[in-house]
Amino acid sequence: SQTIHQWPATLVQPVGSPLSLECTVEGTSNPNLYWYRQAAGRGLQLLFYSVGIGQISSEVPQNLSASRPQDRQFILSSKKLLLSDSGFYLCAWSVGEGYTFGSGTRLTVV
Amino acid sequence: RKEVEQDPGPFNVPEGATVAFNCTYSNSASQSFFWYRQDCRKEPKLLMSVYSSGNEDGRFTAQLNRASQYISLLIRDSKLSDSATYLCVVPASGGYNKLIFGAGTRLAVHP
């Protein structure tokens, strides 16, 4: 079956520290992968998407970067976190014309 | 017009009520649409896809009006378990199955 894993579930990090969030999918090959962020009380904002290994497209300028070192692995990173990076980070992959989301990482930058 | 607009609510309704949410979108070329449900502090989950004129699944009916560029979601016989935020979702321009999510409409069903 097709599943998506995302970790960690929650994270509290100090300002200026690095970040690495990982997302992996199982049961499919060459999926389109996406990173979204949801700020408190706000809608989902598309951050990055990837259509294949090493292919990353950024949707908005920001303090974050993404990488896809393997077909089923998508990583979101930052070298130095800002307070404004706090939010609920969601990885998704497209299934036909809809998405399946991972369970998300709730990041609080303090 | 924003790419996707929804009434944020909250809609507070009693059990058994019928409630409808509307969503407007700006890209007239969009072909497929979705409603997602998001529970508090959880990931969104696909509720319904909306193609052509609409779709029905049990107590849920989604309708599409292309001329006016709006999508609606009707929930009949509301249950306590329907309490959640409902996200209207439309395709983004540029392909690659990118989706734009509305900010959501919050529904609270009370006894």
Side-chain angles (χ1 to χ4, degrees):
Chain A
S1 62
Q2 300 156 338
T3 57
I4 181 168
H5 302 280
Q6 197 179 334
W7 67 92
T10 59
L11 197 56
V12 180
Q13 292 284 104
V15 168
S17 63
L19 173 74
S20 181
L21 303 180
E22 189 161 344
C23 170
T24 59
V25 297
E26 295 178 0
T28 186
S29 58
N30 198 31
N32 285 0
L33 297 172
Y34 311 83
W35 278 110
Y36 280 81
R37 176 173 59 202
Q38 187 175 36
R42 306 283 296 277
L44 277 72
Q45 179 186 36
L46 178 61
L47 302 176
F48 300 95
Y49 68 95
S50 171
V51 299
I53 297 174
Q55 299 180 59
I56 306 294
S57 296
S58 174
E59 286 291 297
V60 292
Q62 60 207 311
N63 183 42
L64 302 167
S65 61
S67 62
R68 187 164 175 181
Q70 300 180 49
D71 182 45
R72 301 174 195 176
Q73 185 183 29
F74 202 22
I75 298 171
L76 184 70
S77 305
S78 174
K79 292 182 179 178
K80 289 186 178 182
L81 284 168
L82 306 172
L83 287 174
S84 57
D85 292 325
S86 294
F88 190 36
Y89 288 83
L90 291 154
C91 178
W93 65 294
S94 60
V95 184
E97 290 188 297
Y99 285 175
T100 295
F101 284 93
S103 53
T105 295
R106 196 162 300 277
L107 171 66
T108 304
V109 182
V110 297
Chain B
R1 173 187 269 184
K2 287 186 179 178
E3 290 176 298
V4 185
E5 284 197 89
Q6 293 183 252
D7 181 342
F11 284 65
N12 294 298
V13 303
E15 277 186 288
T18 295
V19 62
F21 310 136
N22 285 333
C23 164
T24 58
Y25 62 93
S26 61
N27 183 2
S28 59
S30 296
Q31 295 296 311
S32 55
F33 307 85
F34 308 92
W35 283 101
Y36 276 71
R37 170 194 169 126
Q38 186 174 24
D39 292 294
C40 187
R41 301 179 73 81
K42 297 287 189 181
E43 75 274 21
K45 294 186 178 177
L46 180 63
L47 178 66
M48 297 182 75
S49 303
V50 189
Y51 303 108
S52 62
S53 61
N55 192 13
E56 182 171 330
D57 183 5
R59 297 183 294 108
F60 297 84
T61 300
Q63 291 192 315
L64 169 63
N65 183 319
R66 289 190 187 278
S68 302
Q69 294 180 216
Y70 79 79
I71 312 150
S72 64
L73 178 67
L74 181 77
I75 305 175
R76 291 181 295 276
D77 188 22
S78 298
K79 312 291 185 189
L80 294 175
S81 58
D82 293 333
S83 298
T85 298
Y86 291 83
L87 309 177
C88 174
V89 184
V90 305
S93 58
Y96 301 109
N97 282 351
K98 292 185 291 180
L99 298 177
I100 299 172
F101 287 76
T105 298
R106 195 152 58 90
L107 171 65
V109 182
H110 57 82

